[in-house]
Amino acid sequence: MLTPLPAAKHRRPGRRLSALLGALVAATLAATTGTAGAQPAPVRAGTLGAQAAQSGRYFGTAVAGGKLGDGTYTTILDREFTTVTPENEMKWDTTERSRDSFNFAPADQIVAHATGHGQRVRGHTLVWHSQLPSWVSAITDATTLRGVMRHHITTEESHFKGKIYAWDVVNEAFADGSSGARRASVFQKVLGDGYIEDAFRTARSADPAAKLCYNDYNIENWSDAKTQAVYRMVRDFKSRGVPIDCVGFQSHFGSSGPPASFGATLSNFAALGVDVQITELDIARAPATAYADTVKACMGVARCTGISVWGIRDSDSWRSGDSPLLFDAAGNKKPAYSAVLSALGGTAATRTSAAAALPSSFSWSSSGPLIAPKPDATHQIAGIKDPSIVRFNGKWHVFASVASSSGYSLVYLSFSDWSQAGAATHHYLDRSAIGTGYRAAPQVFYYAPQKLWYLVYQTGNASYSTNPDISNPDGWSAPRNFYASMPDIIKQHIGNGYWVDIWVICDSVHCFLFSSDDNGHLYRSQTTVGQFPNGFTNTVIAAQDSDKYALFEASNVYKVQGGNQYLLLVEAIGSDGRRYFRSWTSGSLTGSWSPLAASESNPFTRASNVAFPSGAWTKDISHGEMIRAGYDQTLTIPACHLQYLYQGLDPSASGDYNNLPWRLGLLTQTGSTC
Ligand code: 9MR
């Protein structure tokens, strides 16, 4: 049930008022937000992941679960890499050490870190002769071994279903040397040649969405017998419809780097109709030219979809004596790093430029209204607004405000596909411990350090509830406040505005709480990751504008994936009285914000840069949320193919602001160059 509230708490300026004042909107901006005229030059990305993304590729690394507590390690991991491969945690001797007793906890930890940070996961590996428990190698009976192998593949793949981009289904099945024979593993000896095909067919049925790869080393030189033997197998699989999508070239090279034919090898395999990937790259003593040659070989082949190095720092390497990686033991970039960045198409010198892979102008295509209010006997709803959204466990989870003249409350819905958004059940959260009364503008994220979902919202104070299960609308705790009362600096600047739109984002050390005052100020408080949700202090003005309509409300702050960049969006009211978004970037959450697309003529999102193929149903692009790459407290968004869920409304609607018929629609970036 909605409880009427003091109007001042939730009423926002109507469009008529804003239209009267609209001419003022193009006024000057305060120093903290910079001027809209100073657009950054187009930049190349400053990290491996962002640079690879510009050509549609990933740049990954092997990750050791035991190192995720090492801050230097995770800082580099999350800054540079867009794909991770568990180095040992998905191997048979960890996942099924004794028969039918599975342990996925070590790999789960890596997968959780990766998905939370928007990184894709390569699954490594389901069937391999090494790191194989002795109970498997002791099997001599074909029926038993076939059953054991299929059960292992199916159980492991099912556990990680939906979370793995590609599986190394079979690893290193061919012998070294000039024979071109299959390696004499227990699988080969007991099951014969057909075991590889059997493994791929089993893998396809367990998780049909995952790409299935064959992975090996010493198959980079085209004329080698081992390369030729693997090539013949892949050709045979493709000709007979055996499910195989990709071939991984491990690329553990000596100091001379890849063989001269490596590009031709990649190209020849790709011509069979599979993707190719460099999966475990390391090069003795890491010569810059050898690394550059390897990257160039991949860049020259359209179906070479990504490159992974086998570890981050030299000290993390399985061959640490060779110092074969891109970072030294202290985490410093080695000369090979710059060579790789250049070969990917960027240069290290542009590292501190304004944006990661984000362009400095945007265009969008909008859906029609996808989500409309669903009033019931006790919820007389006029509009659905202020959405927050994450993708988790194969579903979209949307939280939103529902509003009418009698007040604001929160609603939750979930659906697997946008085509089902309109049909989804609306769960009113005033039926949970969140309770009735003024609750609005939710933001949802998973706080990984506590393994808990947080819903942040405004109640007049900045409030939150927690829930161990995002899909359970009854599971939210009663509201608690982040602050004892409104911070003094807000009291001093809020004027006749309202304290609204609470937003939390964390880096690896701090969590920050942003909020707006509808009076030209964006505030920021901070606490530590360890203290969160307590301890928010040091409230400062993060950005301000002398024209309150140019820096109004509905701020979003995101980490851009694969780069060291943050994106700030703030809703403004334009000279036409319509809502639109301006954008800025910064290298840190406490940094000053440089304009990206921040003017009415070059907006982030505004009706003027949005196409409406199914009809122009709104002139306002108002309060919403980016579609994130992950779901954790780092609020990571992709650098490419952005999407934004927003509120819009029938342009002819008028009257009480709280009673306007807001609907939710989805913008998809057009012309994304990466
Ligand atoms: O890097 C891995 C190392 O920590 C393990 O001790 C080793 C055990 O065999 O496996 C290493 O990773 C290998 C990968 O799984 C397959 N290709 C060769 C890699 C380097 O040996």
Side-chain angles (χ1 to χ4, degrees):
M1 270 234 303
L2 296 176
T3 312
L5 283 144
K9 279 288 183 216
H10 48 79
R11 178 171 296 148
R12 298 180 180 180
R15 291 181 297 106
R16 246 179 324 166
L17 170 61
S18 59
L20 287 173
L21 295 168
L24 297 174
V25 165
T28 53
L29 304 177
T32 40
T33 53
T35 58
Q39 292 299 328
V43 290
R44 290 171 175 171
T47 67
L48 302 169
Q51 190 57 53
Q54 297 212 335
S55 67
R57 294 177 171 85
Y58 66 80
F59 205 96
T61 180
V63 164
K67 292 184 175 154
L68 290 175
D70 174 340
T72 307
Y73 184 84
T74 51
T75 298
I76 302 172
L77 168 63
D78 298 335
R79 186 187 69 212
E80 300 286 346
F81 298 102
T82 50
T83 296
V84 306
T85 308
E87 187 172 357
N88 290 299
E89 292 77 355
M90 288 183 171
K91 294 173 180 173
W92 203 314
D93 63 353
T94 298
T95 54
E96 195 187 5
R97 179 172 282 280
S98 54
R99 186 167 175 175
D100 206 21
S101 169
F102 287 89
N103 174 21
F104 296 119
D108 282 343
Q109 186 199 5
I110 297 177
V111 172
H113 182 96
T115 23
H117 289 78
Q119 294 152 330
R120 289 194 296 192
V121 181
R122 293 191 89 261
H124 177 81
T125 175
L126 296 168
V127 179
W128 187 28
H129 69 278
S130 180
Q131 286 172 282
L132 186 68
S134 52
W135 70 267
V136 184
S137 18
I139 297 172
T140 54
D141 168 65
T143 307
T144 306
L145 185 58
R146 189 174 299 110
V148 160
M149 182 184 81
R150 288 178 181 172
H151 182 59
H152 180 78
I153 293 170
T154 303
T155 307
E156 178 157 358
E157 237 190 314
S158 302
H159 177 80
F160 295 107
K161 190 170 180 173
K163 297 176 179 167
I164 304 297
Y165 156 68
W167 275 106
D168 289 335
V169 179
V170 176
N171 194 42
E172 302 176 6
F174 283 77
D176 292 319
S178 57
S179 69
R182 282 165 168 71
R183 180 187 296 276
S185 68
V186 64
F187 303 106
Q188 182 68 34
K189 286 190 286 193
V190 176
L191 299 174
D193 281 0
Y195 87 89
I196 304 180
E197 171 174 350
D198 192 10
F200 275 84
R201 290 191 191 279
T202 306
R204 180 64 98 220
S205 40
D207 183 359
K211 291 197 181 290
L212 306 182
C213 304
Y214 176 77
N215 192 54
D216 214 330
Y217 65 90
N218 282 354
I219 57 168
E220 294 84 7
N221 186 30
W222 177 241
S223 59
D224 283 356
K226 190 172 174 184
T227 309
Q228 290 296 311
V230 174
Y231 179 82
R232 283 193 299 274
M233 178 189 74
V234 176
R235 188 175 58 189
D236 170 54
F237 279 13
K238 293 303 286 186
S239 71
R240 292 191 295 111
V242 179
I244 184 168
D245 306 304
C246 35
V247 176
F249 297 78
Q250 294 186 9
S251 307
H252 295 291
F253 292 135
S255 58
S256 55
S261 63
F262 190 27
T265 304
L266 293 173
S267 175
N268 291 341
F269 273 84
L272 294 175
V274 288
D275 288 343
V276 292
Q277 294 154 358
I278 294 173
T279 51
E280 303 181 13
L281 178 61
D282 51 21
I283 308 181
R285 290 174 288 290
T289 49
Y291 260 104
D293 289 347
T294 309
V295 171
K296 285 177 194 161
C298 178
M299 296 296 283
V301 177
R303 289 198 76 160
C304 184
T305 55
I307 299 170
S308 298
V309 287
W310 204 243
I312 297 177
R313 301 162 300 194
D314 286 334
S315 49
D316 302 319
S317 172
W318 68 294
R319 51 192 293 210
S320 55
D322 286 341
S323 301
L325 295 173
L326 300 176
F327 295 87
D328 68 18
N332 300 308
K333 294 170 184 169
K334 294 164 62 181
Y337 174 96
S338 306
V340 167
L341 199 60
S342 299
L344 288 168
T347 63
T350 58
R351 199 191 167 295
T352 54
S353 297
L358 293 176
S360 54
S361 70
F362 294 85
S363 58
W364 308 85
S365 178
S366 179
S367 70
L370 297 174
I371 299 173
K374 292 192 175 172
D376 65 17
T378 51
H379 298 85
Q380 295 310 306
I381 309 298
I384 183 161
K385 318 183 47 169
D386 315 326
S388 183
I389 179 167
V390 289
R391 180 92 184 165
F392 177 72
N393 258 356
K395 285 195 159 176
W396 297 109
H397 300 263
V398 175
F399 296 80
S401 309
V402 281
S404 73
S405 299
S406 57
Y408 280 68
S409 185
L410 301 176
V411 73
Y412 163 75
L413 52 150
S414 73
F415 45 89
S416 51
D417 188 275
W418 284 106
S419 63
Q420 294 149 14
T425 303
H426 289 204
H427 301 273
Y428 290 100
L429 297 183
D430 55 9
R431 296 190 172 120
S432 74
I434 287 176
T436 58
Y438 174 52
R439 284 104 175 82
Q443 181 211 5
V444 70
F445 58 86
Y446 182 70
Y447 195 67
Q450 297 169 0
K451 297 185 165 48
L452 208 52
W453 291 92
Y454 274 74
L455 193 67
V456 170
Y457 47 94
Q458 68 206 38
T459 55
N461 200 322
S463 303
Y464 66 90
S465 296
T466 60
N467 190 342
D469 176 7
I470 190 175
S471 67
N472 176 14
D474 298 325
W476 293 101
S477 64
R480 300 179 72 107
N481 293 335
F482 286 110
Y483 303 101
S485 61
M486 183 189 286
D488 285 344
I489 191 169
I490 304 182
K491 285 183 191 151
Q492 288 152 15
H493 292 86
I494 193 166
N496 293 325
Y498 308 107
W499 188 26
V500 295
D501 299 335
I502 314 305
W503 185 266
V504 171
I505 178 172
C506 310
D507 59 24
S508 54
V509 181
H510 289 107
C511 291
F512 300 89
L513 191 158
F514 289 86
S515 60
S516 298
D517 67 0
D518 283 359
N519 196 34
H521 305 99
L522 177 69
Y523 301 100
R524 184 189 73 235
S525 309
Q526 72 183 65
T527 187
T528 61
V529 163
Q531 277 184 289
F532 178 85
N534 302 310
F536 274 112
T537 53
N538 296 327
T539 307
V540 297
I541 294 175
Q544 62 185 318
D545 199 297
S546 56
D547 171 10
K548 66 181 181 182
Y549 297 111
L551 198 81
F552 201 60
E553 57 185 2
S555 302
N556 299 161
V557 186
Y558 296 102
K559 168 78 168 59
V560 181
Q561 186 175 31
N564 191 31
Q565 292 291 331
Y566 294 89
L567 173 70
L568 166 67
L569 307 178
V570 185
E571 184 176 349
I573 303 176
S575 51
D576 55 359
R578 301 294 179 179
R579 304 292 181 122
Y580 75 104
F581 277 91
R582 308 172 65 208
S583 60
W584 295 261
T585 60
S586 175
S588 88
L589 286 166
T590 55
S592 60
W593 296 96
S594 307
L596 183 67
S599 64
E600 277 201 66
S601 57
N602 182 31
F604 182 70
T605 57
R606 187 169 184 246
S608 56
N609 69 351
V610 176
F612 289 92
S614 52
W617 62 279
T618 178
K619 290 184 176 168
D620 291 272
I621 307 294
S622 183
H623 195 139
E625 249 254 60
M626 300 290 304
I627 302 299
R628 302 178 212 162
Y631 49 79
D632 75 4
Q633 73 283 350
T634 63
L635 307 189
T636 305
I637 58 165
C640 305
H641 305 294
L642 304 180
Q643 290 194 295
Y644 191 80
L645 182 65
Y646 71 103
Q647 61 176 35
L649 87 169
D650 177 350
S652 66
S654 63
D656 175 12
Y657 179 83
N658 296 335
N659 219 32
L660 291 173
W662 295 98
R663 305 285 182 265
L664 305 184
L666 183 67
L667 300 180
T668 299
Q669 187 187 10
T670 50
S672 178
T673 53
C674 53

